[in-house]
Amino acid sequence: MFCGTKELQIVRAMKVAIVLILPCRVRASPLDQTVMLNNGVKMTTVNLGTCCGSHPSVGLAPWLKAGGTGIDTAFDYHDQKVIGQIIKKEKIPRESLFITTKIPAGLGNSTDCNPDPAIAIRYAKENLAELGVNYVDLLLLHAPCGHRHPVPDSTAANAALWQGMAQVLDMKLARAIGVSNYNSEELEALPKPVPAVNQCQMGVKLHDDATIKYCQKNGILYEAYWVMNNCPFTDSRITKIAVAHNVSASQVCQRYVLDKGIAMAVGTGSNPTKVTKEAVENLDVYGFHLTDQEFKT
C-alpha cells in the first residue's frame, strides 16, 4: 500500500521502488517556510530527511548552520542517537527545532503490528530516549500494517496503533501525530483524531493526486519524501524553468512540491564537500513561485 495505490510496493531496505506516473496536476495554496497543522502546531515545510544516503553525521551540522530547523528521522533509520549528540554539540535550543520521527508499524517486524496501543507508546518513548529529548514535534506511523508482513487484520492493527498514538499526544510526548505511506482508504478507516500529516513518496515524476486531494480536503498536511528521486533534472522543461527563475533544476522540483501545498523532507547527501551547498540550496526555495503555465508543463 504505497500512498494511495495498493498495487505499488516499496522495498525500503533495497531502496527499490515500483512507481506510477500520474499525469494529473493539482494545485493548492503554495506553502511558505511554515504551515499550520490541523491541531494548531506550526511545522517547517522543508525538513532535513536523514534516510537513504543523507546521514546526519555529515549533513546535520551544515543544515543547522545554514538555518535549517526541521529534522526528519525514524526509529528504523538507526541515527537518532547521532542526531541528539549533534544537536547538543551545536547548542541548538530544543524549542527552535521541529523534529519528526516515526515508529516502525508496517515497516517493523511481525510483532510491531499486533493490535496493541501500548506498542506505539513504547516506541515513542524509545525514540525520545535515543534523541535525548522530552518530546518530538511530530510522530508518525511509518507505514500501514500489512505493508511488509501479512497481518490477520490490518485495519484493526492500524486502529490500535493509532489509538496508542493518540495517547502519546495526550501524554505530551509529541506535539502532533500522523502517518506515512497511507492511502485514502487507510486514512478513512482510522479512528479519531484526524492525522495531522501523511508523508509519502512524491515529486514531479510521481504524485498520487487522489490521496493528495483526500488529505487536503480533510485537513491533513501531505508531506513528500524522495522529492529528488522523482526530479527529472535534465528534462528540457525543467531546465528552461530553472533558467527563467535563475535557480537550479532541483529547486524547481522542490518549488513544484511547495506550490502544490505540500511540505517535504529532503536530503543533502553524504559527500562532505557538497552537503553545505545542498543544505543552502534546499532552504533557498521561497523566493520564487512557478507560474500557472510552468506548473502545468
Side-chain angles (χ1 to χ4, degrees):
M1 285 85 35
F2 189 69
C3 285
T5 308
K6 285 182 178 287
E7 293 81 6
L8 299 183
Q9 297 291 328
I10 180 171
V11 185
R12 286 186 68 259
M14 299 176 63
K15 301 185 179 68
V16 174
I18 302 171
V19 300
L20 174 67
I21 299 175
L22 301 174
C24 180
R25 298 292 190 269
V26 178
R27 188 163 196 173
S29 299
L31 296 186
D32 205 339
Q33 293 178 330
T34 60
V35 61
M36 192 74 73
L37 300 180
N38 60 19
N39 68 341
V41 170
K42 190 179 291 187
M43 176 180 172
T44 46
T45 56
V46 176
N47 303 276
L48 174 65
T50 65
C51 173
C52 314
S54 291
H55 200 276
S57 62
V58 178
L60 179 53
W63 177 261
L64 296 171
K65 289 173 181 174
T69 57
I71 303 169
D72 183 278
T73 183
F75 182 83
D76 53 330
Y77 295 171
H78 307 293
D79 61 11
Q80 296 190 124
K81 291 182 180 179
V82 173
I83 290 171
Q85 291 166 358
I86 293 172
I87 291 173
K88 184 176 180 180
K89 180 180 179 181
E90 296 295 324
K91 298 180 180 179
I92 306 295
R94 171 65 189 90
E95 62 274 11
S96 70
L97 299 173
F98 191 97
I99 300 176
T100 300
T101 189
K102 311 170 192 76
I103 70 172
L107 285 179
N109 58 48
S110 58
T111 63
D112 286 333
C113 275
N114 288 342
D116 182 0
I119 294 173
I121 299 170
R122 173 172 59 83
Y123 270 115
K125 291 179 177 179
E126 289 184 24
N127 281 338
L128 298 186
E130 288 191 357
L131 287 163
V133 297
N134 295 323
Y135 68 93
V136 292
D137 299 281
L138 177 62
L139 183 67
L140 306 178
L141 294 176
H142 210 158
C145 291
H147 187 91
R148 175 171 289 175
H149 302 286
V151 296
D153 187 340
S154 60
T155 299
N158 291 337
L161 291 179
W162 188 244
Q163 288 166 352
M165 295 283 278
Q167 292 179 50
V168 167
L169 191 63
D170 290 340
M171 296 165 69
K172 302 188 184 306
L173 302 180
R175 297 174 65 223
I177 54 174
V179 297
S180 182
N181 298 314
Y182 269 59
N183 62 36
S184 57
E185 293 178 359
E186 291 157 340
L187 289 166
E188 186 71 25
L190 289 176
K192 300 296 182 184
V194 174
V197 172
N198 183 23
Q199 186 188 93
C200 299
Q201 181 181 181
M202 181 267 175
V204 171
K205 295 193 296 183
L206 170 69
H207 38 90
D208 173 13
D209 290 329
T211 300
I212 292 171
K213 183 178 180 180
Y214 176 90
C215 288
Q216 293 178 336
K217 178 182 177 181
N218 289 278
I220 303 168
L221 177 69
Y222 199 89
E223 183 181 13
Y225 67 82
W226 281 9
V227 174
M228 294 298 98
N229 289 49
N230 292 294
C231 178
F233 295 99
T234 59
D235 188 299
S236 61
R237 294 168 294 180
I238 296 294
T239 56
K240 182 179 179 180
I241 295 171
V243 170
H245 292 279
N246 193 30
V247 296
S248 68
S250 64
Q251 287 173 309
V252 171
C253 289
Q254 288 177 268
R255 191 64 247 180
Y256 170 81
V257 172
L258 294 172
D259 279 353
K260 283 176 74 74
I262 295 169
M264 72 183 88
V266 291
T268 58
S270 294
N271 185 330
T273 66
K274 296 181 178 180
V275 290
T276 296
K277 176 180 178 295
E278 294 290 337
V280 171
E281 188 171 284
N282 287 347
L283 291 165
D284 187 22
V285 290
Y286 299 106
F288 74 103
H289 291 279
L290 303 185
T291 67
D292 287 342
Q293 185 58 45
E294 289 170 342
F295 189 81
K296 296 174 183 176
T297 298

